[in-house]
Amino acid sequence: MSSIPYLAALSAIAALALAAFYFKLVGAAPPGDERMVFLMTEIQKGAKAFLKREYSWLSVFVAILAIVLAIVVAPLAGLTYVFGALLSGLAGYIGMTVATMANARTTQAAKSGPAKALGVAFRGGAVMGFTVAGLALLGLTVTYIVFVTWLEVDDAFEIVTAFGLGASSIALFSRVGGGIYTKAADVGADLVGKVEAGIPEDDPRNPATIADNVGDNVGDVAGMGADLFESYAGAIIAPISLIAFAAGGVGTGLTAAEAGLAANIGFLVYPMAIAFIGMVASILGSFFVRGGESTEAHSLSTALHRGTNVAMGLTVIGTIATSYWVFDGPNQKPWGISVAVIGGLVVGWALGKAAEFYTSEQFNSVKRIAKQSETGPATTVLSGISVGMLSVATSVILILIGVGLAYWGGDQAFGETSVPGGIYGIALAAIGMLATTGVVVSVDAYGPISDNAGGIAEMAHLDPEVRRVTDALDSLGNTTAAIAKGFAVGSAALTALALFKSFQYAIEKAGSTLSLDVGEVEVFIGLFVGAGLPFLFAALTIDAVGRAASKMIEEVRRQFREIPGLREGREGVIPDSARCVAISAEASLREMILPGALAVLVPLVTGFVSVDALGGLLAGALVTGFALAIFMANSGGAWDNAKKYIEATGGKGSDQHKAAVVGDTVGDPFKDTSGPAMNILIKVMTIVALVFASAFV
């Protein structure tokens, strides 16, 4: 079993090699004519410039928190924190780079039909997917091997946990900053272009079009990549830290033997074994994605999800075999732990299917929103809110089934031992959900590439049939994004629960106790603060999008008003796209600071005042954050696809379509800014509490 971390590291290297292979295939595809190459280059330049500025700002925050960690927790914790942050940022940058290469190539491939276009877009997404999964698993296993296995340093598991905090910090700011950028541009482009000026989406006359396409990459690719990097790393760290803190593996020399785990080393390495199985399964599954010649949503969906389904099937088989290999003791029941992991995998799939049901144009939820758009924007918005709230009820039921299965499986597996089997099972369920992260992110990142491909087709004045193909791919991309968000927020709830239990053990090992009795005023206050915090976070981020979008709208109106011949499309008259790119960049970087800082500072301040209040805060934030994340992601996806459904059925330009555009505009910050950041908010606060637990006491 001591070989498992090394096997996991090798699978991570294999994933990175596959990403390099797909990168080469994407680069070899033809990018199209001179105009398409120009547009691709402009989008890439804008995205790179934004990420460079964003990472420059974030480096200051990372440096400050690294110093605090080194002083308050452990010197090496600051080092691994920086390591996690660097890898998270690198994953986002690589994903953005390939996405901005793949967009024009997908447009060119669309001239030959959907099969070829889907292949190019998926391979572009796969570079992102396997870079995210590969770097996260490699960084984590290297940290574990060096500090736990080789050096056996004091506070080793706190040092490993700091790696996850580094990933979470970058993810939070990348999601918020990128989300504000992309939605400010998107809202401005839609409201002035499609509603006021009556011109098509991504029309080259619209000054905000380039900024909108840049935003797809910095928000929906780089931000999403950092998000899933953090989710994947956090899911693996949670059960490891749970066992270490529960068994006293904090400040005790921290070899497996000194932590009281000589007979139970399997508990520490099993999460990495599941990650290894899932990585290999994802690599194999990626080769099963094959598109046909149909642009029907069902056909494209089947082709794209084939890889995920194959990866899931292989993971189930591998999980069962691995459980019997690792847990072969006389009092252990490997089938119980298999139930926990597979239960998480199945519930994650079910959350994705629920998201598909509420956001895909194949189902009645989206069609009902489209129908409501016939009576104006108010009924469009109301219908979308209803769909999002219904999806929360479904998702809560599913997550409770997952928690119940995982707890029962873990409890059955280990019974009355020193190991918290039920909670350990729940932590493993989160890994089950994200075991196939490589292929899940591949499918998610495919969406923004397809969206950009449609924009390039419109701006390059290509045949309408090309845009029809890219629109079909893009519509599916909205659904795949909602599915990936379902995986991310579901795993966040389970991971946060396991980290919360680790926090409780850490408080006890530091010589104190944690009370969660709501009859105590400190816990009650913390509970309400935590319940309100996700709403405050959502309000700040939505308001930030609104302020940035207002500036974008004013700029687009000014250019239409002051540049002669721009609205009419006179030959040789081009918009000042650079000004719109600058507006989005400046606004997003400024606006991301406050909500991002809240996630770190509020638990820190609360913890130093009262650990009981902090416990209540974490519990309240977990529940409301999960519900808000599901509501926002699915409402936003449903509004977007209702608009696309109306366009696909010949309603473009009608009053019904204009009402749907308003709904889509409301949903943009829901699904791409505030909603996706909720799952990171939940985990950032919990992992901050865990890392600083001893300092609080």
Side-chain angles (χ1 to χ4, degrees), residues 545-556:
V545 170
R547 285 194 296 270
S550 294
K551 294 178 181 178
M552 185 68 70
I553 289 168
E554 290 170 5
E555 176 61 23
V556 175

Side-chain angles (χ1 to χ4, degrees), residues 487-549:
F487 273 95
V489 73
S491 69
L494 301 183
T495 299
L497 178 56
L499 290 172
F500 184 86
K501 191 67 176 179
S502 299
F503 168 64
Q504 184 177 354
Y505 285 130
I507 292 294
E508 291 172 359
K509 299 303 177 185
S512 185
T513 57
L514 180 67
S515 171
L516 293 177
D517 182 359
V518 294
E520 294 186 11
V521 66
E522 291 178 353
V523 178
F524 189 78
I525 291 172
L527 189 66
F528 267 77
V529 171
L533 195 59
F535 287 91
L536 174 61
F537 186 85
L540 290 171
T541 50
I542 290 173
D543 198 34
V545 170
R547 285 194 296 270

Side-chain angles (χ1 to χ4, degrees), residues 294-312:
S294 173
T295 55
E296 290 294 323
H298 178 72
S299 176
L300 291 172
S301 177
T302 300
L304 198 58
H305 291 307
R306 190 179 296 120
T308 305
N309 295 336
V310 168
M312 286 177 60

Side-chain angles (χ1 to χ4, degrees), residues 50 75 78 218 313 329 413 429 449 476 555-556 576 648:
F50 172 78
V218 300
I449 293 172
L476 176 60
E555 176 61 23
V556 175
D576 183 5

Side-chain angles (χ1 to χ4, degrees), residues 597-611:
L598 273 177
V600 176
L601 294 179
V602 170
L604 275 178
V605 172
T606 306
F608 282 113
V609 173
S610 167
V611 291

Side-chain angles (χ1 to χ4, degrees), residues 448-472:
I449 293 172
S450 301
D451 192 0
N452 262 207
I456 289 174
E458 189 74 40
M459 288 185 283
H461 302 292
L462 300 183
D463 189 286
E465 178 61 23
V466 176
R467 184 62 196 254
R468 190 178 74 83
V469 171
T470 60
D471 277 351

Side-chain angles (χ1 to χ4, degrees), residues 26-78:
V26 170
D33 58 34
E34 185 177 343
R35 172 67 176 167
M36 292 165 64
V37 172
F38 169 77
L39 293 168
M40 176 184 70
T41 304
E42 287 298 299
I43 293 168
Q44 189 170 66
K45 282 164 55 180
K48 284 185 175 180
F50 172 78
L51 284 190
K52 183 178 179 181
R53 290 182 63 186
E54 182 182 53
Y55 289 168
S56 296
W57 285 42
L58 289 183
S59 63
V60 177
F61 176 85
V62 169
I64 293 171
L65 195 52
I67 293 170
V68 172
L69 281 166
I71 295 171
V72 176
V73 180
L76 290 172

